[in-house]
Amino acid sequence: MVRKVSKRCKSADEFRSSALIQPGTLIYAIRHLRNLTWMDLKDSQDLTDSVFDALSCTVHSLSFIRLPGSKMKNVSTRAVTSMILAQNKNTLSQFKVIHGTNIFEDDSILKAIGERHGCSMQRLTLAICDLEHSGLQEYGPLCTELISLNLEYTSGVTDDVLLPILETCRQLVKLDLTETDCTQATILALSTSLDSTNPQQGRFSSLKRLILNNIDSPFTTNLFLPMADACPDLEELHMNSILADSFQDFSQFIAKTKQLKDLDIGNVFPEFSDSNLSSLVDTLPSLRWLSIANTQITDVSLVYLAENAHNLCDLCILGCDQVTKTGLLDFLDKITNKAGFRRLDITYCRLDDGAVAEIRERAKSMSVDDAVNGAIEVEGDDQFADSLTEDEGEREDGEDDIVGDDEDIEAAVETTEMEEASELVSEENVFDSSDNSEDDDDDLQGGYNSDFAEVLAHEEEEMSDFSDTLSYMGGDDGDDDE
């Protein structure tokens, strides 16, 4: 069925592959869809050079391409590079790879992106990749129109790589450096140019989302206060596990960034207390997402949050072992944003299974009683299980642990990509299907309905099997593949 649809709907400009589509059928579809501008291969089966050769020969106006790095072990750097170079100059605006372990063995791909699409590239995601020899330092600065750069969990990302990019890419709205090898030199570059010693007010005036989780840069006022002045519109700051001396120093920073809506300071201030929490909430009136994992807060903080954080939607208190079941139930009962609250993480809070179950039940009843759109998610299972002894003897050399960690990281990357869509797409007026948002399916459905009407008129007997697959051009069972 995919073959029939692709042959008859040649005007289609968006395509999302499926794990049910065989490589041969995918290549056939590509060869008939010459007008594609949006190509998502994330859910494909294992790919080969033939898929990219078909794209190079047939498609020349792609603005969006997402590649499944973990399914490209048999794809060469040459094939991907040729596909990028085959696109019309300065048409590619979004290039996304997650788990790109082998395709950045040299600088060919990023050289092609920088030299051929540097003036159009707006979103570059290279997450969980090895960029040691990728040429990012040389060719990243050519992408002067970047608004989003995601390098989380990627090796080969150092200060030397980032500094030239920060000199030229001053339109950034999102920067994600989670678990990279950047240090305080990168933080300094957000406020001070390489040829100056004086911080520049509003240097990154467009930056709204900054993610610095687990980078090797301690929080110091001489670094972060100038950064606050350089990024006056910063709305989201994630700095989980960054070293910091005291919350008193941090309070000077948030006094300059009162517009913050999302804040992650988990594992940053071990002595963070109830008084610090009340000060934080009072300073940040728009707070909607907060992580204060592994701090010393008590039930007093929970009540204060419930009554004073009027926009709170998500709270992570993982490892906060001084809170109690009573305090958490009071929090749910007293929270002022009942209609908007969505998630509570109470993992490792020293609550037994019965307490967690009761808290979940209270959250569930809130969703029903207050007509909340969507159930409130409460995370907190297996808090006293000894995971190290579980399934003992069934793992070999820690292989299962490694696989599990990679899957968790990849899921986290996908989550951030979904969150990015709603915040950035409308503001920057870029292509509507730029991220892995929940709206992708609806957009595809709407774009294809008129073209598929003619096909369905000739295939009425297959209507029931085919109706759910239109937006993906990919089928809901294996039989649709042929």
Side-chain angles (χ1 to χ4, degrees), residues 276-298:
N276 298 142
L277 185 282
S278 59
S279 174
L280 179 71
V281 172
D282 292 344
T283 306
L284 303 178
S286 300
L287 202 60
R288 64 187 180 190
W289 190 101
L290 178 64
S291 172
I292 44 176
N294 293 305
T295 57
Q296 302 301 310
I297 65 162
T298 69

mmCIF file of all heavy atoms in Angstrom, residues 276-298:
data_model
loop_
_atom_site.group_PDB
_atom_site.id
_atom_site.type_symbol
_atom_site.label_atom_id
_atom_site.label_comp_id
_atom_site.label_asym_id
_atom_site.label_seq_id
_atom_site.Cartn_x
_atom_site.Cartn_y
_atom_site.Cartn_z
ATOM 1 N N ASN A 276 15.082 28.800 52.121
ATOM 2 C CA ASN A 276 15.570 29.038 50.762
ATOM 3 C C ASN A 276 14.451 28.854 49.742
ATOM 4 O O ASN A 276 14.339 29.615 48.778
ATOM 5 C CB ASN A 276 16.710 28.070 50.435
ATOM 6 C CG ASN A 276 17.917 28.231 51.323
ATOM 7 O OD1 ASN A 276 18.562 27.262 51.704
ATOM 8 N ND2 ASN A 276 18.249 29.470 51.691
ATOM 9 N N LEU A 277 13.618 27.852 49.969
ATOM 10 C CA LEU A 277 12.509 27.596 49.046
ATOM 11 C C LEU A 277 11.525 28.757 49.018
ATOM 12 O O LEU A 277 11.103 29.203 47.945
ATOM 13 C CB LEU A 277 11.814 26.298 49.454
ATOM 14 C CG LEU A 277 10.689 25.715 48.589
ATOM 15 C CD1 LEU A 277 9.367 26.425 48.789
ATOM 16 C CD2 LEU A 277 11.082 25.714 47.127
ATOM 17 N N SER A 278 11.166 29.270 50.170
ATOM 18 C CA SER A 278 10.211 30.388 50.200
ATOM 19 C C SER A 278 10.806 31.611 49.515
ATOM 20 O O SER A 278 10.102 32.343 48.796
ATOM 21 C CB SER A 278 9.821 30.706 51.642
ATOM 22 O OG SER A 278 10.956 31.042 52.425
ATOM 23 N N SER A 279 12.101 31.847 49.701
ATOM 24 C CA SER A 279 12.767 32.964 49.035
ATOM 25 C C SER A 279 12.753 32.779 47.526
ATOM 26 O O SER A 279 12.506 33.732 46.764
ATOM 27 C CB SER A 279 14.204 33.084 49.539
ATOM 28 O OG SER A 279 14.926 34.057 48.815
ATOM 29 N N LEU A 280 12.995 31.550 47.077
ATOM 30 C CA LEU A 280 12.991 31.248 45.645
ATOM 31 C C LEU A 280 11.627 31.488 45.025
ATOM 32 O O LEU A 280 11.503 32.136 43.970
ATOM 33 C CB LEU A 280 13.414 29.788 45.447
ATOM 34 C CG LEU A 280 13.448 29.260 44.019
ATOM 35 C CD1 LEU A 280 14.607 29.867 43.250
ATOM 36 C CD2 LEU A 280 13.546 27.743 44.015
ATOM 37 N N VAL A 281 10.587 30.999 45.671
ATOM 38 C CA VAL A 281 9.228 31.147 45.141
ATOM 39 C C VAL A 281 8.815 32.611 45.104
ATOM 40 O O VAL A 281 8.175 33.075 44.144
ATOM 41 C CB VAL A 281 8.235 30.317 45.977
ATOM 42 C CG1 VAL A 281 6.790 30.606 45.572
ATOM 43 C CG2 VAL A 281 8.540 28.833 45.832
ATOM 44 N N ASP A 282 9.173 33.352 46.116
ATOM 45 C CA ASP A 282 8.820 34.774 46.155
ATOM 46 C C ASP A 282 9.523 35.557 45.046
ATOM 47 O O ASP A 282 8.977 36.533 44.518
ATOM 48 C CB ASP A 282 9.192 35.376 47.509
ATOM 49 C CG ASP A 282 8.331 34.838 48.648
ATOM 50 O OD1 ASP A 282 7.270 34.258 48.351
ATOM 51 O OD2 ASP A 282 8.734 34.988 49.814
ATOM 52 N N THR A 283 10.732 35.128 44.678
ATOM 53 C CA THR A 283 11.507 35.848 43.665
ATOM 54 C C THR A 283 11.061 35.502 42.257
ATOM 55 O O THR A 283 11.166 36.331 41.342
ATOM 56 C CB THR A 283 13.008 35.524 43.821
ATOM 57 O OG1 THR A 283 13.409 35.795 45.161
ATOM 58 C CG2 THR A 283 13.853 36.365 42.872
ATOM 59 N N LEU A 284 10.570 34.270 42.063
ATOM 60 C CA LEU A 284 10.204 33.799 40.719
ATOM 61 C C LEU A 284 8.690 33.555 40.648
ATOM 62 O O LEU A 284 8.221 32.430 40.784
ATOM 63 C CB LEU A 284 10.959 32.505 40.391
ATOM 64 C CG LEU A 284 12.491 32.569 40.469
ATOM 65 C CD1 LEU A 284 13.100 31.204 40.178
ATOM 66 C CD2 LEU A 284 13.043 33.623 39.508
ATOM 67 N N PRO A 285 7.910 34.589 40.397
ATOM 68 C CA PRO A 285 6.453 34.449 40.416
ATOM 69 C C PRO A 285 5.880 33.613 39.276
ATOM 70 O O PRO A 285 4.738 33.150 39.371
ATOM 71 C CB PRO A 285 5.970 35.904 40.324
ATOM 72 C CG PRO A 285 7.090 36.626 39.640
ATOM 73 C CD PRO A 285 8.347 35.982 40.130
ATOM 74 N N SER A 286 6.661 33.430 38.202
ATOM 75 C CA SER A 286 6.145 32.699 37.038
ATOM 76 C C SER A 286 6.564 31.239 37.027
ATOM 77 O O SER A 286 6.375 30.541 36.027
ATOM 78 C CB SER A 286 6.624 33.374 35.745
ATOM 79 O OG SER A 286 6.183 34.714 35.671
ATOM 80 N N LEU A 287 7.123 30.751 38.111
ATOM 81 C CA LEU A 287 7.668 29.399 38.179
ATOM 82 C C LEU A 287 6.609 28.355 37.829
ATOM 83 O O LEU A 287 5.539 28.304 38.422
ATOM 84 C CB LEU A 287 8.203 29.139 39.585
ATOM 85 C CG LEU A 287 9.249 28.039 39.757
ATOM 86 C CD1 LEU A 287 10.496 28.326 38.946
ATOM 87 C CD2 LEU A 287 9.593 27.891 41.238
ATOM 88 N N ARG A 288 6.947 27.503 36.847
ATOM 89 C CA ARG A 288 6.006 26.450 36.437
ATOM 90 C C ARG A 288 6.628 25.055 36.519
ATOM 91 O O ARG A 288 5.921 24.060 36.578
ATOM 92 C CB ARG A 288 5.527 26.705 35.002
ATOM 93 C CG ARG A 288 6.645 26.618 33.968
ATOM 94 C CD ARG A 288 6.234 27.022 32.576
ATOM 95 N NE ARG A 288 7.368 26.905 31.663
ATOM 96 C CZ ARG A 288 7.380 27.365 30.440
ATOM 97 N NH1 ARG A 288 6.312 27.990 29.948
ATOM 98 N NH2 ARG A 288 8.449 27.214 29.664
ATOM 99 N N TRP A 289 7.960 24.971 36.485
ATOM 100 C CA TRP A 289 8.661 23.679 36.528
ATOM 101 C C TRP A 289 9.821 23.827 37.473
ATOM 102 O O TRP A 289 10.660 24.704 37.310
ATOM 103 C CB TRP A 289 9.149 23.330 35.114
ATOM 104 C CG TRP A 289 9.690 21.947 34.912
ATOM 105 C CD1 TRP A 289 9.039 20.884 34.349
ATOM 106 C CD2 TRP A 289 11.006 21.466 35.232
ATOM 107 N NE1 TRP A 289 9.856 19.780 34.314
ATOM 108 C CE2 TRP A 289 11.084 20.107 34.851
ATOM 109 C CE3 TRP A 289 12.125 22.041 35.822
ATOM 110 C CZ2 TRP A 289 12.215 19.333 35.031
ATOM 111 C CZ3 TRP A 289 13.271 21.267 36.009
ATOM 112 C CH2 TRP A 289 13.306 19.925 35.612
ATOM 113 N N LEU A 290 9.892 22.969 38.490
ATOM 114 C CA LEU A 290 10.932 23.114 39.512
ATOM 115 C C LEU A 290 11.480 21.758 39.916
ATOM 116 O O LEU A 290 10.729 20.834 40.241
ATOM 117 C CB LEU A 290 10.366 23.825 40.749
ATOM 118 C CG LEU A 290 11.336 24.003 41.930
ATOM 119 C CD1 LEU A 290 12.509 24.902 41.545
ATOM 120 C CD2 LEU A 290 10.597 24.567 43.141
ATOM 121 N N SER A 291 12.806 21.650 39.901
ATOM 122 C CA SER A 291 13.470 20.469 40.434
ATOM 123 C C SER A 291 14.406 20.903 41.556
ATOM 124 O O SER A 291 15.330 21.686 41.341
ATOM 125 C CB SER A 291 14.278 19.747 39.352
ATOM 126 O OG SER A 291 15.057 18.709 39.936
ATOM 127 N N ILE A 292 14.138 20.398 42.749
ATOM 128 C CA ILE A 292 14.990 20.659 43.908
ATOM 129 C C ILE A 292 15.377 19.312 44.519
ATOM 130 O O ILE A 292 15.310 19.113 45.730
ATOM 131 C CB ILE A 292 14.286 21.566 44.935
ATOM 132 C CG1 ILE A 292 12.829 21.124 45.154
ATOM 133 C CG2 ILE A 292 14.327 23.023 44.482
ATOM 134 C CD1 ILE A 292 12.095 21.912 46.214
ATOM 135 N N ALA A 293 15.789 18.400 43.671
ATOM 136 C CA ALA A 293 16.116 17.038 44.088
ATOM 137 C C ALA A 293 17.249 17.020 45.104
ATOM 138 O O ALA A 293 18.193 17.812 45.039
ATOM 139 C CB ALA A 293 16.493 16.200 42.865
ATOM 140 N N ASN A 294 17.125 16.105 46.059
ATOM 141 C CA ASN A 294 18.167 15.873 47.066
ATOM 142 C C ASN A 294 18.498 17.128 47.879
ATOM 143 O O ASN A 294 19.667 17.502 48.035
ATOM 144 C CB ASN A 294 19.432 15.319 46.401
ATOM 145 C CG ASN A 294 19.223 13.928 45.833
ATOM 146 O OD1 ASN A 294 18.808 13.012 46.543
ATOM 147 N ND2 ASN A 294 19.477 13.775 44.549
ATOM 148 N N THR A 295 17.468 17.772 48.362
ATOM 149 C CA THR A 295 17.649 18.928 49.249
ATOM 150 C C THR A 295 17.009 18.623 50.607
ATOM 151 O O THR A 295 16.450 17.544 50.818
ATOM 152 C CB THR A 295 17.027 20.194 48.639
ATOM 153 O OG1 THR A 295 15.633 19.958 48.371
ATOM 154 C CG2 THR A 295 17.728 20.576 47.338
ATOM 155 N N GLN A 296 17.068 19.600 51.498
ATOM 156 C CA GLN A 296 16.631 19.381 52.882
ATOM 157 C C GLN A 296 15.239 19.951 53.171
ATOM 158 O O GLN A 296 14.909 20.218 54.320
ATOM 159 C CB GLN A 296 17.648 20.028 53.838
ATOM 160 C CG GLN A 296 19.067 19.508 53.689
ATOM 161 C CD GLN A 296 19.148 18.017 53.932
ATOM 162 O OE1 GLN A 296 18.641 17.520 54.930
ATOM 163 N NE2 GLN A 296 19.785 17.299 53.014
ATOM 164 N N ILE A 297 14.420 20.115 52.157
ATOM 165 C CA ILE A 297 13.092 20.685 52.387
ATOM 166 C C ILE A 297 12.228 19.724 53.196
ATOM 167 O O ILE A 297 12.445 18.511 53.203
ATOM 168 C CB ILE A 297 12.387 21.036 51.067
ATOM 169 C CG1 ILE A 297 12.092 19.775 50.256
ATOM 170 C CG2 ILE A 297 13.196 22.023 50.257
ATOM 171 C CD1 ILE A 297 11.049 19.972 49.187
ATOM 172 N N THR A 298 11.214 20.294 53.852
ATOM 173 C CA THR A 298 10.271 19.508 54.641
ATOM 174 C C THR A 298 8.855 19.783 54.140
ATOM 175 O O THR A 298 8.651 20.462 53.130
ATOM 176 C CB THR A 298 10.370 19.872 56.132
ATOM 177 O OG1 THR A 298 9.868 21.209 56.321
ATOM 178 C CG2 THR A 298 11.813 19.797 56.613
#
